[in-house]
Amino acid sequence: MEETIIDTNELGESIVKVLKGIYDPEIPVDIYELGLIYDVMVNTDYEVKILMTLTSPNCPVAESLPREVEEKVKTIEHIKDVDVEITFDPPWSKDLMSEEAKLELGML
């Protein structure tokens, strides 16, 4: 039986697609376009590590948002484990938002 080779770029795109379906409850823009996702790493064992931030350290979804990210990314086929790490270095700022997000929020 041949081992299935999974395209990590394709897997990365699947992860981004999932992340774009998760919204900050206070802002009508997904967490990816908001710039809350700093890094997504996938190793050869299909374990994912996501480095993300929140709009503020005392964000009301500080507990639930990382859990939602972890649970939704785990639903992607082949992914064995997801580790979501929250960082505030560098702190989130509006500069991290995509043009699309800024447009959506009337900042352009």
Side-chain angles (χ1 to χ4, degrees), residues 29-96:
V29 174
D30 69 77
I31 62 171
Y32 190 82
E33 296 296 336
L34 267 180
L36 296 181
I37 304 299
Y38 286 169
D39 204 358
V40 175
M41 295 151 277
V42 181
N43 70 16
T44 51
D45 293 327
Y46 309 115
E47 296 164 338
V48 178
K49 180 167 182 163
I50 297 173
L51 184 62
M52 67 176 288
T53 193
L54 301 168
T55 50
S56 77
N58 42 8
C59 177
V61 292
E63 292 293 311
S64 61
L65 195 60
R67 198 165 42 249
E68 183 182 356
V69 168
E70 183 180 324
E71 288 167 3
K72 288 191 173 170
V73 172
K74 269 186 183 167
T75 64
I76 299 170
E77 191 181 3
H78 303 298
I79 289 184
K80 293 189 179 133
D81 193 31
V82 179
D83 178 31
V84 176
E85 186 181 321
I86 299 291
T87 183
F88 293 102
D89 182 26
W92 180 83
S93 75
K94 291 181 173 111
D95 298 339
L96 296 169

